[in-house]
Amino acid sequence: EKGGYEYFMLKEIAEQPQAIHDTLLGRLSERGEIILDEVRLTDQDLRDVDKVFIVACGTAYHSGLVAKYAIEHWTRIPCEVELASEFRYRDPVLDRSTLVVAISQSGETMDTLMALRHAKEQKARVLAICNTNGSTIPRESDAVLYTHGGPEIAVASTKAFLTQLVACYLIGLHLAQVRGVMYADEVAAVVSRLMETPDHLRQLLDTMEDVRQLARDLKTASTVLFIGRHVGYPVALEGALKLKELAYMHAEGFAAGELKHGPIALIDEGTPVVCVVPSPAGRGVLRDKVVSNIQEVRARGARTIVIAEEGDEAVRPFADHLIEVPRTPTLLAPLMTTVPLQILACEIAAARGHDVDQPRNLAKSVTVE
Ligand code: M6R
């Protein structure tokens, strides 16, 4: 049932190219437009939206953080992302023109369900992104976009995360298209890059042997830090979450620009710092800023593990360990950069002798508030 893999998690990581492909299937027209017929909100409803809130927990929350960059950039609608457990207790401002996107792999997470019920009481429209057909969250939502990731057995979420990203990209592009903020050819250009990602991910997955070796070296570290900017920041948070839940190690993700405001004090001789570097093509300034951050931590003794785009030679001198990922537009890059971090956490946990698929104290779906 594990298809020859030692853990469900490794099987599910390997299934990610197919999961992305399946989530895109049937949602793109031949002309590269987005078709979301199953989202039962009319084009007029979508034109009326003046604010988007994304609510979710854990890994699904991290997909929402990535989505914010894409949705605001493409649609110019303000978008906020909030932990579902916090959302309803702070009296958020919601009305008929608010679109609340609830993201949940299981569709049964109580915190997310309570957040969506609260949103509905306030008359907001609720759209679910969910991997489980017929589960409670989509049933109670006004509309649903299913991720077609297939069942996820390992407690640590992997393929669900990547397919949630794909679903968010589709929603962002669809909103931009319906509202006339993006021209058809602009949407089609992004779509064609999205369609390339399964192949690129397959290539990336074939180069992960080094990450396995790295995991053996890092298994005794007392803390591992993750830094990133822009969409690399939620990727850093996700890398840290994976390591905490699987390897039971102290790990933290930071916005790289925040280091100097405090966290840099944590860095000691040999502290591993995983650095997620943006593409030099998309936002060169941002990439240069992360490179300076890498130099700063290195000057204080950090051991740097750098995730960068293939051919980005400028980062090489500052990387104690370099992991290269295929070229991908900035907003879509988390579909690549997250994957080595999933494998790193899985392999460190295995090297430490932990049950990768069933980490202690955790359940696959959290049905209590
Ligand atoms: O089923 P959901 O997507 O609503 O679950 C949300 C979180 O509980 C989940 O992502 C959790 O953080 C994972 N164990 C992370 O790997």
Side-chain angles (χ1 to χ4, degrees):
E1 53 186 25
K2 291 183 196 149
Y5 291 91
E6 208 170 334
Y7 313 108
F8 278 109
M9 184 176 176
L10 285 176
K11 174 173 179 268
E12 288 161 8
I13 288 171
E15 285 169 351
Q16 293 183 112
Q18 189 65 39
I20 295 177
H21 172 268
D22 292 348
T23 302
L24 289 169
L25 203 69
R27 278 139 180 191
L28 305 168
S29 77
E30 281 187 359
R31 291 200 315 242
E33 294 158 336
I34 313 287
I35 326 159
L36 296 180
D37 288 342
E38 69 222 278
V39 171
R40 298 177 307 272
L41 289 170
T42 64
D43 285 0
Q44 191 54 50
D45 291 337
L46 296 178
R47 280 187 210 106
D48 289 343
V49 170
D50 63 10
K51 170 121 199 194
V52 177
F53 268 111
I54 301 178
V55 292
C57 305
T59 288
Y61 170 71
H62 296 154
S63 74
L65 291 177
V66 173
K68 174 185 166 77
Y69 291 88
I71 290 175
E72 288 195 337
H73 181 70
W74 289 332
T75 70
R76 311 311 296 153
I77 309 171
C79 174
E80 284 187 39
V81 192
E82 194 147 345
L83 290 167
S85 55
E86 290 293 318
F87 181 71
R88 64 191 283 242
Y89 297 107
R90 68 165 185 87
D91 199 12
V93 181
L94 302 165
D95 60 31
R96 252 170 230 293
S97 48
T98 316
L99 178 68
V100 173
V101 181
I103 309 178
S104 174
Q105 187 285 130
S106 62
E108 300 296 346
T109 299
M110 190 54 75
D111 287 316
T112 311
L113 180 59
M114 297 313 271
L116 96 75
R117 285 186 183 158
H118 180 75
K120 283 191 80 177
E121 276 162 24
Q122 309 292 308
K123 310 282 180 245
R125 309 210 185 245
V126 180
L127 166 64
I129 293 178
C130 185
N131 196 43
T132 313
N133 275 15
S135 55
T136 313
I137 289 173
R139 270 195 283 120
E140 294 202 14
S141 299
D142 297 305
V144 56
L145 184 64
Y146 281 109
T147 49
H148 296 157
E152 197 180 59
I153 311 286
V155 164
S157 191
T158 55
K159 60 179 178 171
F161 178 70
L162 295 202
T163 57
Q164 283 158 358
L165 293 180
V166 170
C168 290
Y169 294 139
L170 290 175
I171 288 167
L173 292 169
H174 186 62
L175 273 172
Q177 179 180 293
V178 167
R179 296 162 69 94
V181 195
M182 273 170 92
Y183 293 117
D185 57 339
E186 292 173 304
V187 172
V190 181
V191 164
S192 76
R193 301 304 298 271
L194 210 42
M195 310 259 288
E196 290 168 9
T197 57
D199 278 345
H200 288 171
L201 195 48
R202 276 186 201 102
Q203 289 162 24
L204 176 63
L205 285 166
D206 284 342
T207 63
M208 290 291 99
E209 205 37 56
D210 274 9
V211 176
R212 296 199 170 92
Q213 178 54 46
L214 176 67
R216 287 188 280 274
D217 295 350
L218 294 185
K219 73 171 187 182
T220 52
S222 55
T223 187
V224 181
L225 306 180
F226 294 74
I227 60 170
R229 282 179 187 252
H230 194 263
V231 292
Y233 168 44
V235 171
L237 295 177
E238 175 60 7
L241 175 62
K242 283 287 160 291
L243 200 55
K244 284 179 236 193
E245 71 174 335
L246 296 172
Y248 319 151
M249 284 162 82
H250 176 250
E252 267 193 82
F254 302 107
E258 273 294 292
L259 277 178
K260 57 186 175 300
H261 300 289
I264 201 160
L266 289 168
I267 297 188
D268 206 349
E269 202 54 45
T271 305
V273 180
V274 179
C275 314
V276 185
V277 183
S279 160
R283 290 187 171 68
V285 182
L286 210 63
R287 197 282 305 259
D288 296 348
K289 289 237 153 76
V290 177
V291 174
S292 334
N293 297 134
I294 299 174
Q295 288 172 265
E296 283 157 19
V297 296
R298 215 155 176 258
R300 286 155 183 91
R303 169 178 185 179
T304 56
I305 296 127
V306 175
I307 304 188
E309 205 171 86
E310 277 164 8
D312 186 356
E313 293 303 321
V315 296
R316 209 171 269 277
F318 312 113
D320 294 309
H321 189 105
L322 181 64
I323 301 172
E324 292 185 297
V325 300
R327 292 191 181 187
T328 313
T330 305
L331 287 168
L332 310 185
L335 293 173
M336 301 295 140
T337 49
T338 310
V339 176
L341 305 187
Q342 298 169 338
I343 294 175
L344 188 64
C346 179
E347 297 289 345
I348 294 180
R352 285 164 68 97
H354 299 322
D355 182 342
V356 169
D357 289 332
Q358 290 286 340
R360 69 183 181 199
N361 307 340
L362 295 174
K364 183 63 185 162
S365 72
V366 184
T367 52
V368 289
E369 248 195 292

